[in-house]
Amino acid sequence: MDEFVKSIESQVIPLGVIDTQGSFSNIPFVFMYENKDGSDDFMPTGLLCKSFYRTMQQLPILAGRVKSKGIGNVSIVVDANDVNIPEYSEDQSNVHFDSLKAAGYKWSSWPKGVATTGPMTCANNDGEIKLINVHVVRLLNNSGVMIYLSIPHYVLDGEAHMEVMRRWCKVHQLMVAGQYADIDGLPTYTFDRAIIQQSLPDERKPVDETTYKTFTEYSYFSEWFAWISPEWRGYILSKVVGWQQAEAHLFHVSNASFDSLREALREHVPDINSISNSELLLSLATKTLAQSQMQSEGRTPNDESASSNDTLAIAVIFEVRKYLGLAHDGFIGNVLIPKINMQPLEELLFPTNSESLARAIATFKDTTNGVSAPLVASHIDMVTSRPSCFTRPITQFTRSKTAMSFVFDVMPDMYVSDFGNGRPEWVSPIEPFRANAVLLLTGKDSTDGVDVFMTAFPRVMKEILKNEYWTSIAKIIY
């Protein structure tokens, strides 16, 4: 660790609203590795720690602190004389890897205290927001290792989060092989948010009305929320999420299920083969959640309690590196934009069948097909001219019991994270999360469909698990 501290140089990295608009949450995943050969030196403690801090030398942004000046002006300040030391710890567990495997890796089978941070970005017991948290849990009889890795969204998105894990694995492999000199030859990263501005085209495409209104409509509460410190924002949001007591489940949608769904929709969606898996799941998950919310309140579609003007707010979040020509492994930052969509509630509540699902797919067309480099440029123009607007979506959505978020792009393959002893047997998000969120994950078999992480209020989740159409397509893992 001393070498890491000595390597840090002071710098200030200004964040843009494209960073701060998603800064409220952490990106927390747990990687589970099995010691299949019963090796005594399986992922050894000293080398794991040493390779981690050697990796951190290549990621100095993670040694900084989140600093806010004025309303909405946020930077990562790296001080060589006062380094924000990453939180890294290792503990021994009395749980055997076989127990995890036998339980299907469900959350209740994990050792207590694996996750050392929650889903929201807030200060630790010392009052510090750490920019990376790692907890290594060595399982009984060295039967395996669990690695918890959490990084705040202030710093990066899911794509960059996985790049950090991949780099740690690569550095570890080189150290095991004694190829220390090759570590310095690994590709360098850029943390300069100016690269996004430099990648924008001259052309502009107007931001849709709902997204524009969400980000620009003035709110005293949102302005206050942007004015308070990052620590206070995190504290408040962590309490809100704690009060929600959301229930989470992980589902799997296989290629066979996607094929059967497309076949059922073919009569109503002539271009069904051009509809992506993410589009199918966006429409199906939205209908399922809306119907379950209604049923959890004892209502039916025939109650006429939803007028034709009622809508459900959905934030569809897109990863936009490909539109800007940015490499997926060179920029450590956030390249996400949300499109806020208001779906007619009356239509969503109609029981799911091929015809009603086809109509839902059609209503999402403008949302899913409208992402382009000119739109990204317009979104960035909009938020850059209003630094305080980053709190407006979150304050609206957390005050709603029904508004949902859907991350459109599948998270990159987390199972490539090999420290040299083989791929992880399982990778999972943590269970606590905010309500009404859907995240698409690459499954263990990356060639067969996707995993779907979904959260809801407990009474709503109860109805989701009874929804025959959803459960015919999405099979519960745990």
Side-chain angles (χ1 to χ4, degrees):
M1 187 172 71
D2 289 344
E3 288 184 15
F4 158 69
V5 173
K6 291 176 183 177
S7 74
I8 298 301
E9 297 179 359
S10 296
Q11 59 179 311
V12 177
I13 303 169
L15 302 182
V17 178
I18 202 168
D19 292 296
T20 55
Q21 67 186 0
S23 62
F24 314 100
S25 62
N26 292 322
I27 306 177
F29 282 91
V30 177
F31 300 77
M32 307 179 204
Y33 299 87
E34 182 180 12
N35 184 0
K36 295 179 180 179
D37 300 327
S39 172
D40 291 336
D41 61 351
F42 177 76
M43 297 177 67
T45 296
L47 198 56
L48 267 182
C49 183
K50 188 175 181 180
S51 62
F52 170 77
Y53 281 108
R54 185 65 185 86
T55 304
M56 292 301 98
Q57 292 183 43
Q58 301 180 351
L59 295 158
I61 189 173
L62 301 178
R65 289 179 173 82
V66 181
K67 296 292 184 182
S68 183
K69 185 178 181 181
I71 299 180
N73 296 309
V74 183
S75 298
I76 301 297
V77 178
V78 183
D79 184 351
N81 298 313
D82 188 18
V83 175
N84 188 11
I85 303 295
E87 187 171 278
Y88 182 100
S89 61
E90 177 169 333
D91 289 307
Q92 179 71 47
S93 170
N94 60 2
V95 175
H96 198 280
F97 194 92
D98 288 348
S99 298
L100 292 179
K101 186 186 291 187
Y105 306 103
K106 60 185 178 183
W107 293 303
S108 60
S109 70
W110 294 8
K112 290 183 179 179
V114 171
T116 50
T117 61
M120 309 309 286
T121 302
C122 53
N124 63 10
N125 293 334
D126 297 329
E128 291 267 28
I129 292 178
K130 295 293 185 179
L131 297 189
I132 183 166
N133 297 76
V134 172
H135 185 203
V136 177
V137 179
R138 194 162 296 276
L139 299 171
L140 184 65
N141 298 331
N142 202 25
S143 58
V145 166
M146 302 174 74
I147 296 180
Y148 171 74
L149 173 64
S150 175
I151 305 175
H153 244 310
Y154 273 109
V155 184
L156 46 68
D157 56 16
E159 183 71 45
H161 177 279
M162 271 312 302
E163 177 57 27
V164 172
M165 189 63 173
R166 289 192 293 264
R167 176 56 60 91
W168 182 11
C169 289
K170 182 63 176 178
V171 170
H172 188 272
Q173 289 179 13
L174 290 172
M175 293 178 79
V176 168
Q179 298 172 325
Y180 286 78
D182 291 343
I183 296 174
D184 291 329
L186 294 173
T188 57
Y189 298 116
T190 181
F191 315 102
D192 187 356
R193 272 49 182 169
I195 193 174
I196 295 178
Q197 199 68 39
Q198 294 162 5
S199 303
L200 300 179
D202 293 332
E203 184 185 353
R204 295 296 188 267
K205 177 183 178 180
V207 175
D208 66 272
E209 182 180 355
T210 304
T211 303
Y212 184 85
K213 183 178 179 181
T214 301
F215 275 93
T216 62
E217 199 168 67
Y218 185 85
S219 159
Y220 282 111
F221 179 68
S222 295
E223 289 295 301
W224 173 79
F225 209 54
W227 171 77
I228 63 175
S229 70
E231 290 81 6
W232 266 107
R233 273 196 301 274
Y235 175 80
I236 292 169
L237 286 170
S238 66
K239 292 298 183 184
V240 170
V241 170
W243 291 330
Q244 288 180 343
Q245 294 186 320
E247 183 176 334
H249 285 285
L250 190 65
F251 302 87
H252 179 69
V253 182
S254 66
N255 288 340
S257 290
F258 281 122
D259 289 344
S260 66
L261 186 56
R262 284 189 174 87
E263 202 54 46
L265 289 165
R266 193 172 301 280
E267 178 184 353
H268 308 286
V269 186
D271 61 340
I272 187 61
N273 289 337
S274 68
I275 303 299
S276 69
N277 290 346
S278 292
E279 288 176 273
L280 291 174
L281 288 173
L282 169 61
S283 303
L284 179 57
T286 303
K287 280 186 66 66
T288 302
L289 184 62
Q291 293 164 19
S292 299
Q293 289 171 344
M294 171 194 68
Q295 292 159 351
S296 72
E297 297 171 356
R299 297 187 289 119
T300 70
N302 299 322
D303 288 345
E304 298 183 357
S305 53
S307 75
S308 58
N309 295 322
D310 288 342
T311 57
L312 176 69
I314 306 147
V316 186
I317 301 161
F318 297 90
E319 198 275 309
V320 295
R321 281 174 174 78
K322 61 185 177 184
Y323 301 104
L324 302 182
L326 291 173
H328 282 264
D329 57 358
F331 174 61
I332 300 298
N334 287 285
V335 199
L336 303 172
I337 69 164
K339 293 186 74 175
I340 313 299
N341 190 284
M342 305 300 289
Q343 284 290 310
L345 192 57
E346 188 175 41
E347 177 59 45
L348 291 175
L349 295 180
F350 194 89
T352 304
N353 55 37
S354 299
E355 189 174 354
S356 68
L357 184 58
R359 292 196 299 268
I361 291 170
T363 61
F364 274 115
K365 274 283 189 181
D366 287 341
T367 299
T368 57
N369 291 350
V371 182
S372 63
L375 177 69
V376 175
S378 294
H379 181 89
I380 291 175
D381 290 346
M382 173 184 69
V383 297
T384 301
S385 64
R386 302 170 178 84
S388 66
C389 74
F390 74 99
T391 58
R392 292 173 191 172
I394 191 70
T395 53
Q396 291 184 33
F397 273 59
T398 53
R399 285 182 289 175
S400 168
K401 291 184 178 180
T402 58
M404 67 176 285
S405 63
F406 185 99
V407 181
F408 189 78
D409 297 275
V410 180
M411 279 279 289
D413 189 353
M414 294 171 286
Y415 288 89
V416 300
S417 306
D418 182 359
F419 284 89
N421 297 90
R423 291 159 59 95
E425 287 298 302
W426 196 253
V427 183
S428 174
I430 61 174
E431 181 178 15
F433 208 70
R434 63 184 183 276
N436 305 332
V438 178
L439 179 65
L440 307 183
L441 308 171
T442 303
K444 184 177 180 180
D445 180 357
S446 60
T447 66
D448 184 25
V450 297
D451 290 347
V452 181
F453 177 70
M454 177 184 278
T455 66
F457 290 100
R459 67 179 188 280
V460 177
M461 184 58 76
K462 182 179 179 180
E463 300 300 327
I464 291 173
L465 297 177
K466 294 192 296 185
N467 186 293
E468 292 184 4
Y469 205 101
W470 171 258
T471 54
S472 72
I473 300 298
K475 304 303 181 182
I476 191 166
I477 299 173
Y478 52 71

